[in-house]
Amino acid sequence: MSIVAYIAVMALTTYLIRVIPFAAVRGKIRSRFINSVLYYIPYAVLSAMTFPAIFYATGNTLTASVGTVVALLLAYFEVPLIVVALSSSAVAFITGMIIGIGV
């Protein structure tokens, strides 16, 4: 199969995923339960994609856990996102250096 065919299949798949809900549901959704489920789906999907990547990024579960705890604490105290990202990365790196896995 050529690269053009692969791109066409991916484009069609992406398009259908976005169009089918609009075609299936024409009116406003009045169910509070369905609305609440749809409201939380982006957060659940983002968490499901992010957390495994966090723990495999450093190659060591301890350094990833320490960085995650720091990030969660800083985020809880509403520190700006760039500070959270840089601080948690630095703490994970320093933890790796302390336990002897960093170079």
Side-chain angles (χ1 to χ4, degrees), residues 4-101:
V4 175
Y6 286 127
I7 293 173
V9 169
M10 289 188 317
L12 181 66
T13 303
T14 303
Y15 179 74
L16 287 176
I17 288 172
R18 295 170 189 217
V19 166
I20 288 174
F22 287 116
V25 180
R26 296 206 182 261
K28 183 174 179 169
I29 299 172
R30 291 184 173 83
S31 169
R32 288 182 63 192
F33 176 75
I34 299 293
N35 279 333
S36 65
V37 168
L38 292 175
Y39 179 80
Y40 287 108
I41 283 177
Y43 301 110
V45 171
L46 182 63
S47 299
M49 292 186 317
T50 304
F51 275 99
I54 289 170
F55 291 107
Y56 289 114
T58 63
N60 186 312
T61 309
L62 177 63
T63 59
S65 298
V66 172
T68 302
V69 168
V70 168
L72 290 173
L73 285 172
L74 292 175
Y76 178 76
F77 290 110
E78 297 180 358
V79 176
L81 181 60
I82 189 71
V83 176
V84 172
L86 293 175
S87 300
S88 60
S89 298
V91 168
F93 178 74
I94 291 168
T95 304
M97 296 296 283
I98 290 171
I99 63 173
I101 62 166

